[in-house]
Amino acid sequence: MNPTTLRALRRIHLYLGMVFAPAILFFTATGLLQTFDLHESENDPPAWLRVAAMLHKKQDFPKPRPARAKPRPAPPSAAAPAAAGTPRLAPWPLKAFVGLMALGLIGSTLLGIAIALASRAHRRGALIGLGLGTLLPLALLFV
């Protein structure tokens, strides 16, 4: 590729990255919390965690739950073998890998934001993209 095409591709990558960086951070962080089932803990999870999980899964705020007549069945024990046809829980090595992947993606995204903002030539466009990527999803949530 010629240098002009590469410069154009880098600029497109920079602006797309800045627009989508807030969503990448949000969905990675909330996905990480869901990987370890923190949004469905036995104890009542904090309200912010339930809201974040519902925004991640359904792109909506949680609705009040009706009172249940009977208690929820206990989740299957990780130590108990899965019955035929019953989905298995993710093994801890996979959960650990997904956790490390999420942390790597968060770190990489934050580094990308820092690098984009360090460039004086594109700082204004990077800030506009970052602002747009933050405000647009919030505005769409309340439409």
Side-chain angles (χ1 to χ4, degrees):
M1 274 190 237
N2 66 40
T4 305
T5 304
L6 286 175
R7 266 194 301 278
L9 290 174
R10 278 195 298 270
R11 193 172 302 121
I12 290 168
H13 178 265
L14 174 115
Y15 294 136
L16 286 175
M18 293 304 282
V19 168
F20 291 109
I24 290 169
L25 291 172
F26 174 78
F27 285 109
T28 304
T30 55
L32 178 63
L33 295 171
Q34 290 180 35
T35 297
F36 295 101
D37 296 323
L38 298 177
H39 66 298
E40 296 176 342
S41 66
E42 299 268 331
N43 305 330
D44 195 27
W48 70 267
L49 190 53
R50 288 192 315 269
V51 169
M54 184 61 76
L55 286 172
H56 182 110
K57 291 181 354 182
K58 304 282 187 179
Q59 294 76 51
D60 198 4
F61 291 104
K63 308 289 188 259
R65 293 183 186 173
R68 293 179 181 240
K70 55 184 176 179
R72 279 174 140 159
S77 170
T86 305
R88 286 187 44 217
L89 297 175
W92 73 265
L94 180 58
K95 284 188 176 199
F97 176 78
V98 170
L100 291 173
M101 178 190 64
L103 293 175
L105 185 54
I106 289 170
S108 178
T109 302
L110 292 173
L111 284 173
I113 291 170
I115 290 168
L117 295 177
S119 168
R120 286 186 171 198
H122 302 292
R123 185 175 297 148
R124 172 180 256 158
L127 284 170
I128 290 170
L130 194 58
L132 183 66
T134 302
L135 297 176
L136 184 61
L138 290 174
L140 293 173
L141 181 63
F142 292 105
V143 169

